[in-house]
Amino acid sequence: MEPGGKAFENSVLLTNIQRFSLHDGPGIRTTVFLKGCSLRCPWCSNPENLSGVPQAYTKDGLDGVYGEYMAQDALAEVCLRDKGFYGEKNGSWDIKNAGEISSLPGGVTFSGGECLLQMDRLVPVCETLHRNGVHIAAETCLFVQPSALGLAIKYIDFFYADVKILDETRCREEEKGDLKLYLSNLGMLLDSGRPVAIRIPVIGGYTDGAGDRRAARDLMEKYKRKILKIELVKGHNLGEEKYRSLGMPVPRYMDVDDRQMENYREELSGLHIPVEICRI
Amino acid sequence: MSLKSFVKDDLWRVNYIYPFAKKHLADEKGRFDLARHILGAYKNIHRVKGEKPRSVGGDIKALLEQVEVDIPEGGFVYFIDEHRTVALPGNVFNNMTVDYEKLLVQGFHERLGDAAGDDEYGRQIGLVAEGLGNLAGRIVAALKESKHPDKEKRIAEFENMLDGPAKGFEEALQRTMFFNQVMWQTRHRLNGFGHMDWFLDPYYQKDMASGKITEADVDRMLDDFYRKLSQYSYYKADALVGDIGQIIVLGGLKEDGTYFCSKLTEQIMRAQARARVPDPKTILRVSAKMPEGLMEAAVECLESATGSPMFANDDVIVPLLRDFGYEKEDAYNYCVSACWEPFVVGKSFEQNNMATYDFSAAFDRLMGDLDGIRSFEDMVERYITLNDEVFRDFLENIREWKWARDPFVSFLTDGCNDQRKDVSEGGAKYNSYGVTTVALANVVDSLLNIRRLVFEEKKYTLQQLAETRKKDFEGEESLLRFCRENRHFGRDDREALDLVDRITKKQAEVAMQFKNKFGGTVKFGLSSPGYNAACKKMPGDFSGRKAGDPYNTHISCTAAGYTEVVNFSGQLDYGCQRFNGNVVDFFVSPDFLKQNRDKFVMFMMLAIRQGFFEMQMNVMDSRTLIDAKAHPERYPGLIVRVWGMSAYFNELPESYQDLLIERAVAAERTK
């Protein structure tokens, strides 16, 4: 049965729940990796989260399945297990500058794949988490229906929004994405006033060219008062084994060295938005 | 009586080298090597005999009069004559801390004035005092002859050693070291230092305020302290090379409910990290009330990878001690025995690490006694009944242990002087015994896996599983893999938690009925040094362990992340005498700690609130350990946490090295 069918009405399709997660938002978090993505980025390191249905795989001679439908209440229960490590709600969560991020509590982060594709099913989970005082973050590429983003703005407390290929043709051909939809959603998200950090994957041959960097800078310039911080994320090949287990070709792309990352940061420095270089 | 007890208890006149050869019983180098070490010990270590008829006080006096004095080129005076010892009639009080504070606030002789008497009790202490006076006097004489750069200062300290209170921080530290040296010299093993920051703080504050010392001076003194105390490590080692037990307790809740620490707390902790030695080691008493800055310093010290500090959670431990019956002041002042067992310094004859109880023994019996078991419930009931029997037999064995008289420790233990009764006769204020345990995790995982295999999925009968176990899983690799992949202990598994509490609660009922010959009872905990020793002769089980494989290490689970294990440990019931050390044991990679220090501090502060009992960490990655095993010459200083002790990796038996590598690999997989 396809997801969305009756049997899955109260379920969320996910591949992993990672507790004690330290790199997906403020504090100590539980990160939920949802399966299914609206983009096909050639450098993707989570190929198991591309397809929106469970997938068989073979690894080290053993068979398995990527993807599990988990009931909403069961997912909320798992997310609440580490509530004691999320910390207390400390003032308002609607922060206005990067310096305040460390004052936010830990909590739950929805990642993927593109987590907002299942936003309607995440609503009851979010409601349970909020009833328990748990902070919620989402990592999104923003290539989703505006209605899904609207729901997310209502329920998600902190966003990591991606900036990837900003050329309309290349976006369509290389990522299978609709740039107009993305730009419209980015505007909608930033205008909503929700706290947003921007993540820019810096991938050799895809997003590291002078034109790519200039386009990203211009976009950030436009919204600079509404962006808490920018994270420049260096590509990695941690997904290789997963590609092999799915019988998919392993993507190859050029390495971006530390000097180039520093140069990129320098180029963005005039925006007066804090810029961090992340290696994971 | 077992042969081992007979040798330990009744052959003391000839078996005086046992404490010095014990470390080779477990070093996996074979009997020939053990015999070589025993002969070597007899050749190198000689017993000193005192007055006739023999007495402990007389022998100690003679020993202290004969030990060779060794004055260092500089710094504190601290030495042990490794060639002389005493043969004492019975087990020697060990795994504890003598009350140094009593010797700082009042001179030994002043205190002796209070305790002196014409009876045998007083005479024995008098003999020890004579020995101490002789030794201190000979040190003064040797200092006068020496080129020690601070000899005038040291001479003054030793001239005042037995007569009056310590006059400042440096003298207090030198005096603590002197009496620690005396403890080691007189055959006590695993000698801790107690609550050093608390009892030295008045001297520290006074000298800092007057300008007599600076923080830099204190750092220099502490560096020398750690350097000197880490010497004689082979002589001092007990159950394994590295098992020395010189634990320093830091910080903690005071009786008024406030958390006490000072700059000295941090200086002692940081000096240990700077020294990069496995022992002396530190344990930090933590609480939700502690300053976060102190936890930050502790996490920074962890990065030195000496295994220190370990953490003890006052918010959990103090109420348990109160419930047990310790007076309020004593509960708040607790220290620990050489590893982690709560211990009240200066008031206890509590031998907290007397023996290791193996939960697998009853499981082994269960596997041979399966008739009539029709359900999981029947099986658990049978196990608990068998465990009660095995535990009762185990306690009977320790009930009659013989203890050697100990005039020096008695003199410094509340209750003894008033009653004119030696600690070995029950003179102390508190007289309970303590034991450690192994393999509960393996038993719980086994029972829950059997439930699924036999009673739920009906893939096997109980008899078939018992047969498979006898054949050590030969031809049943998939069953073994199932067991290894289905871990319950240490995870978010309500049934595992309930089963642990059910088994330990019944065992606690047996413990509470136990009375030792001094009227004390017995405590137990879920952490033990014995996890890689007791297992050697035990067949496999259904936690994925094959015959002889190590048991689970303390409270840990190689399949679970940090928060999961802490949550598990926080939900266990440690009441009813189950508080004799319960340690969560983690591996953390150095890079991870370095890159996430702030969040790790946050994790630790929140973990305190989740109610872990105690926690220790190996800050080490698997790659380093694997390389160190292959190329030991490249890693002469690599330190790892083994149980409540840290040791040089190269000095460990191979099976310990392999277990550490396996756990480090698993930790990197789950994180």
Side-chain angles (χ1 to χ4, degrees), chain B residues 499-513:
Chain B
L499 195 50
V500 170
D501 282 342
R502 192 170 157 192
I503 293 169
T504 59
K505 190 176 172 205
K506 289 294 284 183
Q507 180 157 309
E509 286 170 12
V510 177
M512 286 189 282
Q513 290 163 16

Side-chain angles (χ1 to χ4, degrees), chain B residues 310 340 527 553-556 581-585 614-616:
Chain B
M310 184 184 160
W340 43 57
S527 314
T553 308
H554 315 315
I555 299 175
S556 68
N582 295 282
V583 182
V584 172
D585 190 290
E614 289 163 326
M615 190 188 292
Q616 66 177 11

Side-chain angles (χ1 to χ4, degrees), chain B residues 546-578:
Chain B
K546 292 187 80 174
D549 284 353
Y551 293 136
N552 198 64
T553 308
H554 315 315
I555 299 175
S556 68
C557 176
T558 50
Y562 302 140
T563 53
E564 204 170 353
V565 181
V566 170
N567 283 340
F568 181 87
S569 74
Q571 291 178 75
L572 290 175
D573 189 346
Y574 302 110
C576 304
Q577 306 184 188
R578 287 173 280 186

